[in-house]
Amino acid sequence: MNDIPRTGIYRLLEIFPGALSWSIILIPVISSFFWPRAVAIFIILYVVLWFLRSLKLSFFLIYAHFKNKHFEEENWMHLLKFFSDSPPPAKTRMEHQTLSQIKRLHEAGQAKKWDNIYHVAIIATYKEDKEILESTIEAVKNCDFPLNRVIIVLATEERDRERAEENSAYLTQKFAGKFYGFFTFMHPKNIPGEIIGKGPNISHAGQHIAEILKAKKFDFSNVLVTTLDADNRPHPKYFSNLTYHYLMEFNRQQRSYQPVPFFYNNIWDVPMWTRLVALASSFWQLEQSAEVDTLRNFSSHAQSLDALIATDFWSRHTIDEDGQQFWRSYFAFNSHHKVIPLFIPVYQDAVQNKTYFLTLKSQYVQMRRWAWGCTDIPYVTLKMWKERASLPFWKSFVLLFRLVEGHIMWATAPIIITFTNAIPPLINKDFASTVFAYNLNQVFSIIFTVALIGILVSIWISLLALPPHPKGKKWFFLSIFQWIGLPVITILFGAIPALDAQTRLMLNKPLQFTVTEKIRKPIVGD
């Protein structure tokens, strides 16, 4: 982000998201004293917009769930055999579609063989125990893609040298000879111009593995790099699925590839509130996979090594390196970039800490860190203006609008939906007794009743998707009632941390990177 100077205009754009969110929340309260009808109309329009979005989300969530289940059952290694000199005869619809695409790729001179592809898994770690890392590497080892074309890179931090060296020695010995290569790189501390965070660490590791592979004369377009957090466990078919989607693309370098983050590793060990946040986050990301035009990089994602060279790897200047990578790629390839959904999960930990209270605090901090993506708004706005001559106007405008809308809705929708419809009658007693106010309540009652469809869909998907409860079916079905708390968590772990992040940006108080502590043991109290 250092290619755009922090001028006065940049500073105004930093103020903009927080100022707009607070205005949307506070102006209806103030205006209710003077223009209660206008406020009521504004609230109706806002709620209708939210209602339409929730219906769309429910539809895409159902579609994405069943596509995810289909992709988990698909034999991707068999499909990869079509990307060879001796493909098998096509029998299924997907096999015929694959052969048709391969024919077009051959005609364009862009066909590749599957057994030329290598995978690099960069695992970022800081203060995690070796048992956490070991389970992640075991998950990679259990994938169906040939391990002699998989490279493990452990990206450690000098700020945690003693633990990093101990973990590296143990894991290197345990997994020696299991993969094509197992490398450990230690990111130096206090490098000028870098923040403390994941981005500098994985960029340092990426540069080093690129140098090693260059010396071995690897074709960087045949190397796919996936970033993993210490607790991430790829689905057994992740690498074969990723390889297939990569080979099916014409403009492979200009694509990034996004699995679905499912926070299921310890889902039954965490408090109810944290579990709800984990489920809501998982379902949101699953739904986003169905909306390709709005899909962005989040947490674990993949790009080819030649694409990472073109973008100078990941951002070293923001704690939001995953979301920022979409925009870095968008500008590096002059808007010819998009995210390809894989519909295959990478399983992650729900937030869990030593005590109940610390778990809730860590959950809040994590959500605030995710919401710090609002810092993209000033950067993207000015970068688009700077490069306006080479970027398509309407495409860029729509992407910028969705970026702003997403962060503003994140910070305001739960509060508006929950409270603001009651504000005009409470503040203005004369308005409360009017026919208009009565009709307003009737409209809200109808909308919110129909909107329960979204919660019912989420409950249904959770029953289909979640791993079995260790205490049996009785506990599993009792967990249905946890969804009653959804309005609470959307405010406490949605709107408030988003407002917190936007307010900090508005007041020029940068957020520092905070690692979410990885602990796997039951917490008393639910």
Side-chain angles (χ1 to χ4, degrees), residues 277-291:
V277 175
L279 290 175
S281 299
S282 300
F283 293 170
W284 171 257
Q285 294 298 330
L286 181 60
E287 181 272 337
Q288 287 291 288
S289 293
E291 295 190 73

Side-chain angles (χ1 to χ4, degrees), residues 351-368:
V351 173
Q352 188 172 18
N353 213 313
K354 296 181 180 69
T355 67
Y356 191 94
F357 174 76
L358 287 176
T359 296
L360 298 183
K361 180 181 178 182
S362 296
Q363 182 68 80
Y364 180 90
V365 170
Q366 182 190 68
M367 298 305 294
R368 185 179 61 184

Side-chain angles (χ1 to χ4, degrees), residues 213-285:
L213 297 182
K214 181 179 180 180
K216 293 178 178 290
K217 301 188 183 303
F218 271 66
D219 179 350
F220 285 177
S221 69
N222 286 337
V223 181
L224 285 166
V225 181
T226 298
T227 67
L228 297 173
D229 286 344
D231 62 306
N232 291 179
R233 298 175 183 175
H235 187 277
K237 297 182 180 181
Y238 168 73
F239 290 109
S240 56
N241 172 285
L242 170 59
T243 306
Y244 175 86
H245 282 87
Y246 180 70
L247 295 177
M248 288 285 281
E249 286 292 317
F250 278 91
N251 302 308
R252 302 181 184 97
Q253 185 192 34
Q254 300 168 4
R255 303 289 183 262
S256 54
Y257 303 85
Q258 183 63 51
V260 185
F262 281 166
F263 299 89
Y264 292 175
N265 285 343
N266 57 341
I267 193 69
W268 296 118
D269 295 335
V270 299
M272 181 193 78
W273 304 108
T274 307
R275 187 184 310 128
L276 270 177
V277 175
L279 290 175
S281 299
S282 300
F283 293 170
W284 171 257
Q285 294 298 330

Side-chain angles (χ1 to χ4, degrees), residues 24-25 46 50 406-421 448 486-499:
I24 291 173
I25 292 170
Y46 192 99
W50 166 81
H407 281 283
I408 299 305
M409 291 291 285
W410 185 351
T412 62
I415 296 174
I416 294 288
I417 301 305
T418 304
F419 297 114
T420 314
N421 65 301
F448 290 145
L486 188 62
V488 177
I489 66 111
T490 57
I491 294 177
L492 295 182
F493 299 108
I496 293 178
L499 275 173

